[in-house]
């Protein structure tokens, strides 16, 4: 009974990373205390310590395996906020490879052997009688007392005293060095949104007083149809100049006629699609929300401001489309609150379905875009927001032909080559889509951007970036969050180059190239990005390309605090921005 919490932690860490000795002694003790809460409670309930020990060891081994696979598939282990996204995880789990590792096989053999020994020797009454018989009441009370004592030490603050450290940029490493259970519990500290010190209307007025209204980049005779495509895991590894590919997978788009190509920065890597959606649609930044937050599930709980709601006020038909599970990330609940008139998922497709490595292809996805355009409300311009799924991981589908190869190391990085093959198909289909819309008479503006980089072999990523992961400068570290975006229209676009910005600024840029004015918050974002074009959870960058961590104090700290204050009001406030819209409407109706 004394040893079980410690041996269970050892087994859990062994299954997770193969090297349980990476964890510090104090953190090991903290994790044993966490296991002790469950173990001693289970002993009190079933009154059989040996059976409870086998059950706890099995549970810990499974927990280690789950965290291992999740780390491989998306780059981070299981985090507290993931528990609200189980349906989304299950929806894509069929495409992942769950081949057990050596430590998993060894752990399974040990557990099966322990179970056989327990059942066999119990039958012949070889085990000590105290381990086999049911506990009397005093021992049950002792176990409950031990469970309660252990529980006292499992609060995040107490775990910090055991040197349990979190690392929002390297959760996988934190789980190795501080243990799975204790680090998981410490991460719950990040689930509460920080309230700015001053959210008064006077403070909000003061912040917005420095905003200058910017004229749109162009003027059109009619409102254009707007199609925004967030393409799953679309990244541009070629820009770093370190890869020799059998064929470019980005040149066709970056050199497209009448297109403007640039790069943006996301707040997530390898996973977290809905966070990028949230930043693009709302203009809000994940920088001011808890690590790993899922805004659709945690914060979009009522009608909220977004690009869709703004375009709806301008007379647009607003539609959303994602060829995946309807309830993934709770989009079916979030989209109506963000102002979308309709939402189509994989179950409502109107075109024949073609799949790529188990997901609806971009060919089918873009065919559906054309269908929705052709069946739009003829009396309104269309805003269609589309989230693709073709390029979703994992990139381990057996027998999937890799058409794009690394010329200097063919076959060395099969996940990366499978991924590159998929994004090459995206390139072909986007060119086909723009060809279709180039033949349309009404103005159409198309934006396509990536939500995050893919989770492929770390060695490939190091090769692409041209640096080793442990030697990154802040600017080099930000490259992990860099994604491409392209603006294309069937009408002439300004010749000026697009800026490099973060996703939260992208919707205001889109409105600019659609010839549409934005609201006060959008004007604030347009003003802010002249000095801070990149604000992400990972860090921020100034107009000179210098990158900064949120942990350091800089000349921009006060500016970021103002942004945080406005965002908090926008998400959780008492109606400041709604009052502004009402006042503007009254002014327009009674000039």
């Amino acid at each position: 009974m004394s040893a079980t919490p410690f041996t269970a932690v050892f087994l859990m860490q062994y299954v997770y990373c193969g090297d349980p000795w990476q964890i510090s002694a104090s953190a090991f003790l903290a994790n044993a205390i966490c296991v002790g809460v469950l173990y001693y409670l289970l002993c009190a309930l079933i009154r059989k310590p040996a059976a409870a020990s086998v059950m706890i060891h099995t549970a810990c081994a499974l927990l280690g395996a789950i965290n291992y696979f999740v780390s491989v598939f998306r780059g981070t282990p299981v985090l507290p906020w993931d528990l609200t996204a189980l349906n989304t995880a299950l929806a894509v789990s069929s495409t992942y490879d769950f081949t057990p590792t050596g430590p998993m096989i060894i752990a399974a053999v040990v557990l099966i052997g322990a179970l056989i020994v327990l059942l066999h020797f119990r039958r012949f009454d070889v085990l000590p009688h105290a381990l086999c018989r049911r506990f009397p009441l005093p021992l049950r009370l002792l176990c409950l007392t031990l469970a309660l004592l252990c529980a006292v030490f499992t609060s995040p603050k107490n775990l910090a005293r055991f040197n349990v450290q979190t690392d929002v940029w390297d959760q996988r490493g934190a789980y190795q060095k501080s243990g799975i259970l204790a680090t998981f519990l410490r991460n719950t500290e990040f689930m509460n949104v920080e309230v700015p010190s001053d959210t008064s209307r006077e403070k909000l007025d003061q912040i917005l007083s420095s905003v200058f209204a910017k004229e749109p980049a162009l003027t059109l005779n009619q409102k254009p149809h707007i199609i925004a495509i967030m393409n799953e895991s679309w990244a541009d590894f070629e820009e770093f100049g370190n890869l020799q590919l059998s064929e470019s997978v980005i040149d066709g788009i970056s050199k497209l006629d009448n297109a403007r190509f640039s790069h943006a920065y996301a707040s997530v890597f390898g996973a977290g699609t809905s966070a990028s959606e949230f930043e693009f649609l709302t203009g809000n930044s994940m920088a001011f929300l808890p690590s790993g937050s899922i805004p659709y599930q945690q914060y979009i709980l009522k009608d909220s401001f977004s690009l869709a709601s703004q375009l709806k006020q301008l007379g647009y038909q607003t539609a959303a489309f994602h060829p995946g599970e309807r309830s993934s990330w709770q989009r079916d609940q979030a989209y109506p609150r963000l102002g979308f008139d309709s939402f189509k998922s994989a179950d409502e497709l109107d075109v024949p379905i073609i799949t790529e490595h188990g997901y609806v292809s971009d060919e089918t996805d873009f065919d559906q875009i054309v269908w929705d355009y052709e069946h739009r409300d003829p009396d309104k311009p269309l805003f269609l927001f589309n989230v693709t799924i073709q390029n979703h991981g994992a990139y381990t589908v057996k027998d999937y032909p890799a058409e794009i190869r690394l010329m200097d190391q063919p076959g060395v990085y099969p996940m990366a080559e499978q991924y590159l093959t998929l994004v090459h198909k995206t390139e072909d289909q986007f060119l086909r889509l723009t060809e279709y819309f180039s033949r349309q008479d009404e103005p159409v503006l198309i934006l396509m951007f990536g939500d995050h980089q893919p989770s492929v072999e770390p060695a490939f990523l190091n090769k692409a970036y041209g640096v080793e992961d442990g030697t990154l400068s802040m600017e080099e570290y930000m490259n992990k969050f860099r994604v491409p975006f392209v603006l294309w229209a069937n009408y002439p676009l300004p010749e000026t180059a697009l800026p490099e910005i973060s996703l939260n600024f992208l919707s205001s840029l889109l409105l600019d190239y659609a010839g549409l004015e934005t609201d006060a918050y959008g004007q604030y974002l347009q003003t802010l990005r002249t000095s801070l074009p990149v604000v992400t959870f990972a860090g921020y960058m100034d107009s000179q390309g210098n990158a900064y961590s949120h942990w350091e104090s800089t000349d921009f700290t006060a500016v970021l605090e103002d942004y945080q204050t406005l965002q908090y009001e926008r998400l959780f406030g008492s109606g400041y921005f709604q009052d502004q819209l009402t006042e503007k409407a009254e002014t327009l109706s009674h000039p």
Side-chain angles (χ1 to χ4, degrees):
M1 288 180 65
S2 300
T4 288
F6 296 93
T7 54
V9 170
F10 185 92
L11 185 65
M12 178 173 61
Q13 295 298 125
Y14 176 65
V15 170
Y16 172 59
C17 62
D19 184 7
W21 304 111
Q22 292 186 47
I23 189 171
S24 67
S26 57
F28 191 95
L29 176 60
N31 282 268
I33 291 172
C34 294
V35 172
V37 175
L38 303 174
Y39 175 59
Y40 295 124
L41 180 60
L42 190 60
C43 284
L45 291 175
I46 70 171
R47 297 183 286 175
K48 292 185 177 181
S53 180
V54 173
M55 294 168 66
I56 286 295
H57 279 86
T58 302
C60 285
L62 286 173
L63 189 60
I66 290 170
N67 278 276
Y68 168 82
F69 284 121
V70 173
S71 293
V72 169
F73 297 151
R74 73 172 190 192
T76 60
V78 178
L79 300 167
W81 35 89
D82 293 330
L83 302 181
T84 62
L86 291 177
N87 289 339
T88 302
L90 291 173
V92 299
S93 60
S94 61
T95 64
Y96 289 86
D97 181 9
F98 292 96
T99 303
T101 62
M104 292 179 196
I105 294 172
I106 292 172
V109 171
V110 170
L111 289 169
I112 292 172
L115 181 61
I116 292 173
V117 167
L118 179 66
L119 294 176
H120 179 76
F121 288 114
R122 179 181 179 276
R123 179 181 173 188
F124 294 100
D125 201 25
V126 174
L127 288 177
H129 191 55
L131 290 178
C132 300
R133 69 176 184 176
R134 292 185 178 275
F135 274 179
L137 182 59
L139 283 178
R140 295 181 69 187
L141 292 175
L142 175 61
C143 287
L144 285 174
T145 302
L146 288 172
L148 290 172
L149 286 174
C150 289
V152 168
F153 292 97
T154 57
S155 68
K157 288 184 178 180
N158 284 331
L159 290 173
R161 295 170 181 166
F162 287 89
N163 199 32
V164 174
Q165 303 291 332
T166 57
D167 188 337
V168 294
W169 291 288
D170 184 17
Q171 295 281 9
R172 179 161 50 184
Y175 274 43
Q176 292 174 357
K177 296 172 184 175
S178 293
I180 292 173
L181 276 177
T183 311
F184 178 91
L185 292 173
R186 279 225 63 192
N187 271 311
T188 60
E189 289 181 297
F190 300 115
M191 298 186 73
N192 294 320
V193 179
E194 180 183 352
V195 181
S197 58
D198 185 1
T199 58
S200 66
R201 287 180 173 255
E202 291 77 15
K203 178 63 176 178
L204 299 172
D205 286 337
Q206 176 199 332
I207 297 172
L208 291 178
S209 65
S210 62
V211 171
F212 55 87
K214 180 180 179 294
E215 292 294 324
L218 47 76
T219 302
L220 300 174
N221 294 327
Q222 69 179 101
K223 295 172 183 173
H225 302 289
I226 300 174
I227 299 170
I229 304 169
M230 191 175 78
N231 201 282
E232 173 67 41
S233 300
W234 188 40
D236 178 14
F237 292 121
E238 294 177 62
E239 69 156 321
F240 303 107
N242 300 309
L243 298 180
Q244 302 175 36
L245 303 183
S246 57
E247 186 176 353
S248 172
V249 299
I250 201 76
D251 281 356
I253 294 177
S254 64
K255 298 176 181 178
L256 181 63
D257 289 341
N258 200 44
R260 302 292 176 266
F261 181 84
S262 187
H263 294 88
Y265 289 82
S267 286
V268 290
F269 172 86
T273 294
S274 66
S276 295
E277 285 183 53
F278 168 79
E279 289 190 316
F280 167 70
L281 288 172
T282 66
N284 298 325
S285 175
M286 295 298 295
F288 311 121
L289 295 174
S291 170
S293 293
I294 305 174
Y296 284 178
Q297 298 172 339
Q298 295 172 252
Y299 313 127
I300 305 299
L301 306 176
K302 60 180 181 179
D303 289 348
S304 301
F305 293 100
S306 77
L307 176 62
S309 64
Q310 185 175 349
L311 289 173
K312 192 172 183 177
Q313 290 178 342
L314 295 175
Y316 274 76
Q317 172 193 353
T318 56
F321 160 50
H322 171 58
E325 293 287 336
R326 186 172 185 81
S327 60
S328 290
W329 302 119
Q330 293 185 7
R331 290 186 178 98
D332 55 335
Q333 299 178 43
Y335 282 161
R337 295 166 181 162
L338 290 169
F340 286 102
D341 297 321
S342 62
F343 169 43
K344 286 184 180 178
S345 64
D347 295 331
E348 292 92 32
L349 295 186
D350 304 288
V351 297
I353 296 177
I354 299 172
T355 61
E356 287 287 346
H357 88 132
Y359 294 113
V360 174
S361 66
D362 280 359
E363 179 180 357
T364 299
D365 186 289
F366 294 171
D367 283 346
Q368 182 65 45
I369 290 176
V370 171
W371 191 97
D372 285 332
Y373 173 79
E374 293 178 344
H375 293 81
R376 68 191 184 277
D377 185 337
D379 298 323
K380 295 181 178 180
L382 171 67
F383 169 54
L384 176 62
F385 177 59
N386 166 228
V387 179
T388 72
I389 199 170
Q390 170 189 284
N391 301 334
H392 200 291
Y395 312 102
T396 54
V397 177
K398 292 177 175 149
D399 301 323
Y400 186 83
E403 299 172 3
I404 304 298
R405 293 278 187 174
L406 271 70
M407 298 300 291
D408 56 337
Q409 292 180 297
V412 174
Y413 305 112
M415 293 175 66
E417 290 184 339
Q418 190 169 126
Y419 163 78
L420 292 167
T421 299
L422 290 166
V423 294
H424 184 45
K425 295 179 185 291
T426 292
E427 179 187 46
D428 292 340
Q429 295 308 317
F430 185 76
L431 297 178
R432 182 176 66 89
L433 184 70
T434 55
E435 182 182 359
Y436 167 83
F437 280 106
S438 67
R439 300 192 298 268
Q440 305 308 306
D441 295 328
E442 297 184 359
V444 179
L445 176 64
I446 300 178
L447 165 70
M448 186 167 78
F449 63 98
D451 58 346
H452 54 70
Q453 292 186 16
S455 182
V456 292
E457 294 94 347
F460 167 81
L461 296 174
N462 291 340
K463 178 182 177 68
Y465 303 142
V467 293
E468 290 298 322
D469 204 23
T471 62
L472 299 179
S473 66
M474 191 61 198
E475 286 78 13
E476 291 169 334
Y477 172 72
M478 292 294 287
N479 285 335
K480 293 168 66 74
F481 303 90
R482 193 170 165 88
V483 294
F485 75 94
V486 60
L487 271 170
W488 177 91
N490 63 354
Y491 54 83
L493 293 176
E495 292 294 334
T496 53
L498 291 177
E500 293 193 349
I501 57 178
S502 47
L503 295 183
N504 50 307
F505 295 123
L506 198 51
S507 58
S508 61
L509 182 71
L510 177 64
L511 290 175
D512 197 23
Y513 278 75
L516 300 173
E517 292 185 357
T518 184
D519 60 11
Y521 191 62
Q523 291 172 358
Y524 170 80
L525 294 177
Q526 288 177 337
T527 303
L528 177 62
R529 68 178 168 87
T530 60
S531 57
L532 281 181
V534 175
V535 180
T536 73
F537 179 83
Y540 57 97
M541 300 175 71
D542 62 23
S543 57
Q544 305 303 313
N546 301 309
Y548 308 91
S549 165
H550 288 291
W551 299 107
E552 59 183 309
S553 179
T554 70
D555 293 339
F556 301 104
T557 300
V559 177
L560 290 170
E561 289 173 352
D562 286 347
Y563 184 11
Q564 180 182 13
T565 300
L566 284 181
Q567 175 172 311
Y568 188 88
E569 171 64 28
R570 189 86 161 174
L571 267 178
F572 310 110
S574 56
Y576 176 83
F577 286 103
Q578 186 59 51
D579 291 345
Q580 281 199 332
L581 290 177
T582 302
E583 291 172 6
K584 183 177 180 179
E586 291 176 351
T587 301
L588 292 175
S589 60
H590 301 93

